[in-house]
């Protein structure tokens, strides 16, 4: 299995690790999203994940306004965060800093 295939499997497994603890097993509630952000992305986000931050992320992601984040909406978040991380590392590299 390739690294990219492994990464795709990990995204799917991670989503389903948190989805369904509250309500629909195929979506993330606000509480599930907050837990996922804290547990899985805490070091990348680097900030305290408070209710206001979760609300902002939830509102930005919840394209269909159902109050939950489905897998497609979750992948949009992961894509945006990956682009932001790539941009951050490119800037550091351009400035000659070690990554």
């Amino acid at each position: 299995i390739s690294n990219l295939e492994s990464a795709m499997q990990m995204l799917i497994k991670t989503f389903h690790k948190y989805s369904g603890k509250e309500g629909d097993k195929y979506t993330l509630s606000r509480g599930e999203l907050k837990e996922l952000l804290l547990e899985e992305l805490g070091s990348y986000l680097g900030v305290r994940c408070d209710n206001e931050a979760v609300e902002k992320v939830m509102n930005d992601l919840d394209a269909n306004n159902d109050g939950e984040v489905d897998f497609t909406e979750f992948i949009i978040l992961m894509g945006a965060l990956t682009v932001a991380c790539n941009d951050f590392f490119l800037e550091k590299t351009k400035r000659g800093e070690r990554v």
Side-chain angles (χ1 to χ4, degrees):
I1 188 165
S2 73
N3 287 339
L4 191 54
E5 290 167 330
S6 294
M8 290 169 60
Q9 286 181 2
M10 188 56 65
L11 283 169
I12 294 166
K13 287 179 183 178
T14 301
F15 177 85
H16 290 291
K17 175 181 174 182
Y18 294 92
S19 69
K21 291 182 178 183
E22 304 171 3
D24 189 337
K25 69 179 184 176
Y26 299 110
T27 62
L28 296 168
S29 67
R30 280 173 173 72
E32 292 164 342
L33 178 63
K34 182 177 182 177
E35 183 181 359
L36 185 151
L37 292 173
L38 285 170
E39 296 294 322
E40 304 292 338
L41 294 169
S43 63
Y44 269 35
L45 297 177
V47 294
R48 190 173 54 90
C49 190
D50 58 18
N51 289 335
E52 188 175 315
V54 172
E55 277 300 313
K56 178 164 180 19
V57 170
M58 178 67 84
N59 291 335
D60 289 347
L61 289 179
D62 187 14
N64 61 0
N65 294 313
D66 66 355
E68 298 185 314
V69 173
D70 64 22
F71 186 74
T72 300
E73 293 163 335
F74 169 73
I75 290 301
I76 291 168
L77 170 64
M78 293 298 95
L81 287 173
T82 303
V83 168
C85 288
N86 182 61
D87 291 348
F88 172 78
F89 289 124
L90 284 176
E91 282 302 313
K92 285 188 83 149
T93 302
K94 286 178 186 176
R95 292 192 306 258
E97 298 176 36
R98 277 178 62 180
V99 187

